[in-house]
Amino acid sequence: MLDGDAYVPGEWRAAGELLAARGCAPLEARHRVVAVGSNAAPGQLRRKFVNHGVRPVVPMALADVPGIAPGVSAHVSRWGYVPAAPVRTPGESSRLFVLWLDERQLAALDLTEPNYVRRPLTDPPPHPGGRHPPAAPPSCTRAGTAAWRTAPAGRAA
């Protein structure tokens, strides 16, 4: 869990207790968001939330997410890098971080991602504790994603 300036590793069972001890919204009141790219980095999330006056206390868990994989957006950011973006991969899954965001965190994250729009997953990853809250929306780039033409093994594209 991201807890202010620290990343606190631990058992998922303790996440609810840590949230309650800090006076934060419980897991059941949070939105699951699949993090593709820098939003999976505790330091990046902390910066985004602190810059928007939002308390950076965020449960995070690795999950096997069906149907998407990390890719790259078809745009260059204003800082000069090509950001990550989810790419549809039917029949495959990727191990990605899932964030549990409260309402203010979700709004702040959206403000930091002007080139993205959240989309619901058709097959969301399960909750580490076995419960299944509402679907987790990853952010899809408005510019689309970059793709490379590939050829079967042993043949040039």
Side-chain angles (χ1 to χ4, degrees):
M1 175 167 5
L2 172 61
D3 186 6
D5 289 334
Y7 179 75
V8 181
E11 300 251 348
W12 185 256
R13 293 180 299 235
E17 294 169 16
L18 288 171
L19 290 171
R22 285 152 181 78
C24 297
L27 288 171
E28 295 75 23
R30 291 173 172 262
H31 304 273
R32 290 185 303 158
V33 176
V34 175
V36 176
S38 69
N39 286 335
Q44 181 75 336
L45 288 175
R46 182 195 174 285
R47 181 189 61 76
K48 288 181 176 189
F49 293 148
V50 168
N51 286 350
H52 284 87
V54 175
R55 191 170 174 200
V57 178
V58 181
M60 305 171 71
L62 279 170
D64 293 317
V65 181
I68 66 168
V72 293
S73 180
H75 80 283
V76 176
S77 76
R78 66 181 185 195
W79 297 279
Y81 64 88
V82 178
V87 176
R88 292 186 191 274
T89 57
E92 298 179 19
S93 66
S94 296
R95 191 114 171 112
L96 300 169
F97 271 99
V98 178
L99 315 174
W100 269 258
L101 304 179
D102 66 24
E103 294 292 334
R104 292 188 67 215
Q105 292 165 340
L106 188 63
L109 189 65
D110 285 347
L111 286 173
T112 70
E113 303 287 353
N115 293 311
Y116 294 82
V117 62
R118 281 182 286 114
R119 300 269 191 245
L121 292 175
T122 56
D123 189 15
H127 183 291
R131 297 183 310 272
H132 295 273
S139 294
C140 298
T141 177
R142 294 179 194 276
T145 54
W148 288 266
R149 190 175 142 209
T150 59
R155 294 183 51 196

